[in-house]
Amino acid sequence: MPREVVFTSGGTRSQQSCGQGCGLGRQGAGHRVITSSVEHHSVGHAMRYLEKFGFEIVELPVDRYGRVDPDDVEAAITPKTIL
């Protein structure tokens, strides 16, 4: 378990660090990342960055209330899904 805390300048940088760090840190375990179509733009930027390293980004749609269908999530998960 990591014993380190990282402070960033704000939410955007935090989300980018998390998305990129989790993706690149677990790259050996898989290459598939699932997100939704309504994430903050910083998440989208992090996902496009990961694509440059060969990650497969799966963007799930949401309903009119902004909810992802749990069945869509279940269908999107594969053994190569890491985030």
Side-chain angles (χ1 to χ4, degrees):
M1 170 180 253
R3 298 179 188 270
E4 183 177 332
V5 176
V6 177
F7 293 92
T8 65
S9 61
T12 295
R13 185 64 193 133
S14 295
Q15 289 184 15
Q16 287 176 332
S17 295
C18 179
Q20 293 170 3
C22 289
L24 294 174
R26 295 199 24 93
Q27 195 168 10
H31 67 277
R32 186 175 174 93
V33 177
I34 302 171
T35 186
S36 80
S37 60
V38 295
E39 297 296 337
H40 188 272
H41 72 274
S42 64
V43 174
H45 288 252
M47 297 302 104
R48 284 192 291 287
Y49 178 80
L50 290 175
E51 283 181 316
K52 294 178 184 179
F53 292 91
F55 284 85
E56 176 187 8
I57 308 302
V58 178
E59 188 176 278
L60 299 179
V62 298
D63 65 15
R64 67 185 196 147
Y65 300 105
R67 298 178 299 200
V68 174
D69 185 325
D71 291 334
D72 290 345
V73 176
E74 184 176 6
I77 296 172
T78 72
K80 293 295 182 181
T81 303
I82 58 169
L83 182 64

